[in-house]
């Protein structure tokens, strides 16, 4: 009975996913319609010759009705084919593949740093209420969501990159040129991303730890004489982690927006920088592709979280 | 998230000893109690003070500046903070203090515009979806909102502004200027998120007895929604509006930082930060520090205000 209900829930969520994903692709595609005047003159500028305009129009299928354009674009996109970048004439899929690694690496380092700090800090804040760890969590919770990442990026480049020269003051050094120079070029933006994440995760972990610690099974464990340390770190933490999973969807959003701003500030060749470059170069095909990918990724992650959450906690049904 | 545990008196007796006055029955009205809780919350008061300071600066900006914010003085370029130039000067010798002050106005205008637009669009959408919760109307509205919510706010705003461009658009006799464009884009990005909050708030009120009572005496859907449900679901909406102000400030700053938001000659904090970026390598720290601090304090203000409103208006939901 339980399994079939869960199965039905998953199937329902998957079916509801289709219209949303279609909507995401349609919204991303319609960016080309938002360009003032004709997209082609917007991209090429006023100086473009008649022949160039015609050629680009043909390349982008702009001589067709809107929905014909959309469906042929969608059919290609489903096969992983987003066309050519209008500026570099490199296939967009190839561009994205090149850039994805940097953004992924930044995110992975940031998540590792976040968890290394968030777990002990969240636990300490919950067990030592109204003392230093608790105040630290409250401070991070406000500071993390209020300090613009592009500002802290500039200030930290000044302090740690220019004054102390501990890290690279921007620019990307690939790992092939040595591990240390490579780390010096990515560690600072990763730490800034981690700090923003900490704001969300420690607060959530603290709240759900407090919730779990007040429950009967912990009290019962205490009365059986189980060591407090074991109760907190093994039994309570395991249970407190489930609600914390729900904010991971928000974390992914932070990572993506953070990547856009921080890759720009630190000149790192990631997906976010690709998006910003496409904006500056008026490269609408690249804009469409990157936006579609970000949207679909975000929707899928949230689906996995909801489904995973309802599997871990059978009381939850949406 | 809420764990359904029935407190077992044998195990949780200490809980009954720690009842604070928050959980005692209140003899005053809801608003009076909320106001009392808000006033007692230091952080909330700090938030309110910062927001008042920001709005005050925006209103009285022309009286507060010490220099013409756009006056170029090449001889004084990149000088540090001094008695003449409190926050120092930028790469063109313009007074950073005056530019920070003047930018408060565009920040408040854009923030207010974005949140208002998000409300005007999002409130009716969310209210109708909530009222007909579970029906096809609800599905159509909410799935459309999901499409917009599928993108992080800043990224969607960047992409749309990137496609629309920063040039003013002429529609018939009207010219849509740059600031208006930023407001419209931000409002469109925020509206679906707002709709979702309104919907869940309405859904929570719909099964209540007082709604049933109004229905049973023949009140129309519209009457029930406007006169019964919305006044009672206003609390989460107000709280969310405060947080969205912070989001709006950040979105504008990010767009202007990237050069696709507020355009010169109108200065803005994000724009100043992006101009300052190249000068950090020469050690001219004040150029970056002060505009960033302004964004930071505005964000802290709205975030603390939001937290304070949540704690004061919704004491059970607060953690």
């Amino acid at each position: 009975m339980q399994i079939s209900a869960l199965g039905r829930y998953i199937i329902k969520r998957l079916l509801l996913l289709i219209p949303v994903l279609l909507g995401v692709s349609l919204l991303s595609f319609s960016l080309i319609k938002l360009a003032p005047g004709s997209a082609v003159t917007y991209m090429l500028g006023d100086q473009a010759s008649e022949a160039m305009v015609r050629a680009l129009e043909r390349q982008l299928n702009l001589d067709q009705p809107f929905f014909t354009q959309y469906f042929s674009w969608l059919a290609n996109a489903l096969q992983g084919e987003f066309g050519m970048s209008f500026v570099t004439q490199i296939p967009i899929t190839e561009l994205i593949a090149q850039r994805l690694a940097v953004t992924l690496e930044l995110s992975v380092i940031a998540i590792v740093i976040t968890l290394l700090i968030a777990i002990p800090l969240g636990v300490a804040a919950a067990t030592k209420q109204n003392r230093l760890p608790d105040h630290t969590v409250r401070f991070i919770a406000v500071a993390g969501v209020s300090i613009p990442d592009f500002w802290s990026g500039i200030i930290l480049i000044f302090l740690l990159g220019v004054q102390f020269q501990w890290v690279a003051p921007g620019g990307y050094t690939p790992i092939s040129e040595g591990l240390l120079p490579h780390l010096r070029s990515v560690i600072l933006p990763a730490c800034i991303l981690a700090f923003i994440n900490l704001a969300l995760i420690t607060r959530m972990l603290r709240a759900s730890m407090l919730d779990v610690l007040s429950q009967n099974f912990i009290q019962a464990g205490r009365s059986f004489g189980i060591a407090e340390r074991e109760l907190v770190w093994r039994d309570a933490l395991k249970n407190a982690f489930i609600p914390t999973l729900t904010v991971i969807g928000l974390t992914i959003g932070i990572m993506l927006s953070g990547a856009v701003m921080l890759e720009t500030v630190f000149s790192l060749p990631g997906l976010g920088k690709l998006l910003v470059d496409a904006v500056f170069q008026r490269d609408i095909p690249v804009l469409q592709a990157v936006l579609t990918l970000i949207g679909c990724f975000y929707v899928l992650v949230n689906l996995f979280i909801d489904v995973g959450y309802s599997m871990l906690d059978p009381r939850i049904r949406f | 998230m809420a764990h359904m545990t029935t407190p077992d008196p044998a195990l949780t007796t200490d809980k009954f000893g720690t009842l604070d006055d928050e959980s005692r029955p209140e003899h005053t009205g809801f608003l009076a109690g909320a106001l009392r809780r808000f006033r007692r919350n230091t952080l909330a008061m700090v938030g309110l003070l910062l927001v008042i300071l920001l709005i005050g600066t925006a209103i009285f900006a022309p009286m507060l500046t010490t220099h013409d914010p756009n006056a170029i003085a090449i001889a004084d370029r990149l000088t540090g903070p001094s008695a003449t130039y409190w926050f120092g000067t930028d790469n063109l010798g313009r007074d950073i203090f005056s530019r920070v002050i003047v930018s408060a106005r565009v920040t408040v205008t854009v923030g207010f515009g974005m949140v208002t637009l998000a409300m005007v669009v999002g409130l009716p959408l969310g209210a109708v979806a909530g009222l007909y919760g579970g029906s096809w109307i609800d599905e159509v509205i909410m799935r459309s909102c999901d499409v917009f919510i599928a993108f992080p706010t800043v990224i969607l705003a960047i992409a749309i502004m990137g496609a629309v461009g920063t040039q003013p658009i002429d529609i018939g006799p009207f010219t849509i200027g740059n600031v208006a464009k930023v407001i419209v884009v931000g409002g469109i990005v925020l509206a679906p998120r707002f709709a979702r909050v309104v919907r869940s708030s309405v859904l929570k009120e719909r099964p209540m007895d007082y709604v049933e009572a109004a229905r049973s005496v023949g009140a129309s859907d519209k009457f029930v929604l406007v006169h019964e449900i919305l006044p009672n679901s206003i609390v989460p909406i107000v709280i969310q509006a405060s947080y969205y102000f912070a989001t709006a400030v950040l979105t504008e700053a990010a767009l202007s930082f990237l050069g696709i938001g507020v355009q010169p000659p109108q200065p803005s904090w994000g724009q100043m930060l992006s101009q300052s970026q190249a000068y950090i390598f020469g050690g001219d720290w004040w150029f970056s520090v002060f505009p960033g601090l302004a964004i930071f304090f505005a964000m802290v203000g709205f975030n603390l205000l939001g937290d304070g409103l949540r704690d004061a208006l919704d004491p059970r939901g607060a953690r």
Side-chain angles (χ1 to χ4, degrees):
Chain A
M1 276 309 280
Q2 193 61 262
I3 294 163
S4 78
L6 182 65
R8 220 176 303 134
Y9 168 68
I10 294 175
I11 290 170
K12 189 186 157 213
R13 286 297 306 258
L14 282 175
L15 285 178
L16 282 175
L17 194 67
I18 298 169
V20 175
L21 288 180
L22 277 177
V24 164
S25 67
L26 182 61
L27 178 62
S28 310
F29 182 77
S30 15
L31 285 180
I32 203 156
K33 277 282 156 199
L34 289 176
S38 133
V40 172
T41 49
Y42 177 69
M43 287 160 71
L44 291 173
D46 299 332
Q47 317 292 291
S49 70
E50 190 74 2
M52 282 164 75
V53 170
R54 290 279 162 275
L56 187 60
E57 267 180 359
R58 219 166 315 116
Q59 187 189 331
L60 296 175
N61 274 330
L62 286 178
D63 40 3
Q64 308 282 322
F66 177 73
F67 275 97
T68 316
Q69 292 172 39
Y70 168 64
F71 284 115
S72 72
W73 176 83
L74 184 67
N76 286 329
L78 285 173
Q79 297 162 37
E81 187 56 62
F82 284 99
M84 295 281 198
S85 154
F86 135 78
V87 176
T88 57
Q89 295 300 328
I90 297 173
I92 295 172
T93 319
E94 207 173 291
L95 271 181
I96 290 173
Q98 287 168 6
R99 302 294 194 99
L100 200 59
V102 175
T103 306
L104 270 179
E105 191 195 347
L106 268 183
S107 309
V108 170
I109 300 177
I111 288 174
V112 171
I113 298 174
T114 307
L115 290 179
L116 283 178
I117 300 175
I119 293 174
L121 195 59
V123 169
T127 48
K128 298 184 175 64
Q129 256 184 292
N130 291 320
R131 282 165 57 192
L132 186 66
D134 200 13
H135 294 311
T136 312
V137 166
R138 281 170 203 210
F139 172 77
I140 294 179
V142 177
V145 293
S146 300
I147 301 179
D149 44 11
F150 46 98
W151 180 51
S152 48
I154 295 176
I155 299 298
L156 289 175
I157 287 178
F158 172 66
L159 284 177
L160 304 179
V162 178
Q163 295 289 311
F164 293 107
Q165 307 200 339
W166 290 345
V167 297
Y172 180 71
T173 315
I175 201 157
S176 55
E177 290 174 31
L179 183 65
L180 200 66
H182 172 68
L183 280 180
R184 274 167 48 115
S185 71
V186 294
I187 193 73
L188 193 50
C191 285
I192 295 172
L193 279 179
F195 183 72
I196 310 174
N197 276 328
L198 270 181
L200 268 173
I201 291 182
T202 47
R203 187 156 71 163
M204 193 67 199
L205 197 60
R206 172 186 171 274
S208 55
M209 273 300 280
L210 282 176
D211 196 28
V212 174
L213 283 174
S214 69
Q215 281 182 36
N216 291 346
F217 77 97
I218 295 289
Q219 304 272 9
R222 242 177 232 146
S223 67
F224 287 140
I226 299 175
E228 188 70 22
R229 168 185 275 269
E230 215 170 298
L231 273 177
V232 168
W233 286 94
R234 196 191 56 199
D235 304 317
L237 187 61
K238 219 184 328 175
N239 282 282
F241 234 93
I242 298 176
T244 311
L245 271 181
T246 50
V247 291
I248 289 182
L250 292 171
T251 300
I252 301 291
I254 291 172
M255 294 286 188
L256 291 169
S257 341
V260 171
M261 300 311 288
L262 288 172
E263 284 168 10
T264 307
V265 172
F266 285 86
S267 339
L268 300 176
L271 205 58
K273 187 79 167 52
L274 183 64
L275 182 82
V276 173
D277 288 346
V279 165
F280 287 141
Q281 297 166 336
R282 305 184 170 183
D283 199 341
I284 293 181
V286 173
L287 215 54
Q288 291 171 320
V290 175
L291 200 62
T292 309
L293 280 184
I294 289 177
C296 293
F297 177 66
Y298 202 47
V299 170
L300 288 174
V301 167
N302 279 308
L303 175 81
F304 281 128
I305 290 167
D306 286 354
V307 170
Y309 192 53
S310 64
M311 280 172 157
L312 288 171
D313 193 339
R315 284 169 298 187
I316 308 291
R317 284 293 173 273
F318 295 88
Chain B
M1 248 161 278
H3 291 267
M4 262 87 70
T5 46
T6 29
D8 181 350
L11 289 171
T12 58
T13 36
D14 61 312
K15 264 194 175 169
F16 296 99
T18 57
L19 281 181
D20 51 22
D21 53 356
E22 232 84 302
S23 32
R24 269 190 216 127
E26 274 166 29
H27 299 292
T28 46
F30 171 73
L31 273 182
L35 193 66
R36 188 169 46 89
R37 278 191 296 271
F38 190 86
R39 288 241 287 280
R40 249 195 245 147
N41 183 344
T42 319
L43 283 179
M45 292 303 282
V46 171
L48 183 65
L49 194 75
L50 285 172
V51 169
I52 292 175
L53 200 68
L54 173 69
I55 295 172
T57 309
I59 294 172
F60 300 109
M63 285 176 230
L64 297 170
T65 53
T66 52
H67 293 76
D68 174 352
N70 281 327
I72 293 170
I74 292 296
D76 286 344
R77 69 190 294 266
L78 295 170
T79 54
S82 64
T84 334
Y85 301 112
W86 296 349
F87 289 177
T89 57
D90 69 5
N91 54 325
L92 296 173
R94 294 173 296 191
D95 178 40
I96 292 175
F97 174 76
S98 303
R99 290 175 71 74
V100 166
I101 294 291
V102 167
S103 304
R105 193 169 264 194
V106 82
T107 299
V108 171
T109 312
V110 170
F112 195 74
M114 281 186 189
V115 175
T116 310
L117 184 62
M119 267 178 145
V120 167
V121 178
L123 193 86
L125 281 178
V128 169
L131 189 66
Y132 302 108
S135 72
W136 66 271
I137 302 177
D138 178 33
E139 285 295 327
V140 168
I141 294 178
M142 290 326 289
R143 292 298 82 77
S144 316
C145 288
D146 282 351
V147 169
F148 285 83
I149 298 171
F151 303 96
T153 36
V154 171
I155 292 186
L156 188 55
I158 291 172
I160 298 179
M161 272 312 283
V164 177
T166 49
Q167 299 301 315
I169 306 179
D170 293 303
I171 299 176
F174 303 104
T175 303
I176 300 198
N178 192 254
V179 173
K181 232 187 220 176
V182 174
I183 291 175
V184 171
V185 169
I188 290 173
V189 171
L190 283 178
R193 287 159 215 266
F194 215 85
R196 188 144 86 170
V197 174
V198 174
R199 173 183 178 268
S200 72
S201 187
V202 168
L203 271 183
K204 217 184 281 172
E205 295 297 324
R206 209 175 47 148
M208 297 286 186
D209 287 342
Y210 73 90
V211 176
E212 197 53 46
R215 279 250 165 77
S216 66
V217 295
S220 68
D221 279 356
K222 192 182 153 208
F223 184 89
V224 169
L225 185 66
V226 174
H227 294 273
E228 304 286 341
I229 294 182
L230 278 183
N232 281 294
S233 45
I234 205 78
V235 164
I237 298 173
V238 168
I239 296 169
Q240 209 58 34
S242 182
Y243 289 129
Y244 282 156
F245 252 103
T247 310
V249 169
L250 183 69
T251 306
E252 184 272 315
L255 288 174
S256 302
F257 178 77
L258 293 176
I260 48 178
V262 176
Q263 298 294 309
Q266 165 67 57
S268 76
W269 296 332
Q271 197 193 95
M272 293 168 80
L273 268 185
S274 98
Q275 289 160 355
S276 78
Q277 215 190 337
Y279 296 93
I280 207 77
F281 300 101
D284 306 316
W285 54 270
W286 57 87
F287 197 176
S288 305
V289 164
F290 293 109
L293 271 180
I295 305 175
F296 170 66
F297 281 125
M299 300 272 296
V300 170
F302 286 115
N303 279 321
L304 287 181
L305 184 66
D307 288 350
L309 287 173
R310 186 194 58 200
D311 293 347
L313 293 168
D314 190 12
R316 280 159 304 161
R319 248 310 183 164

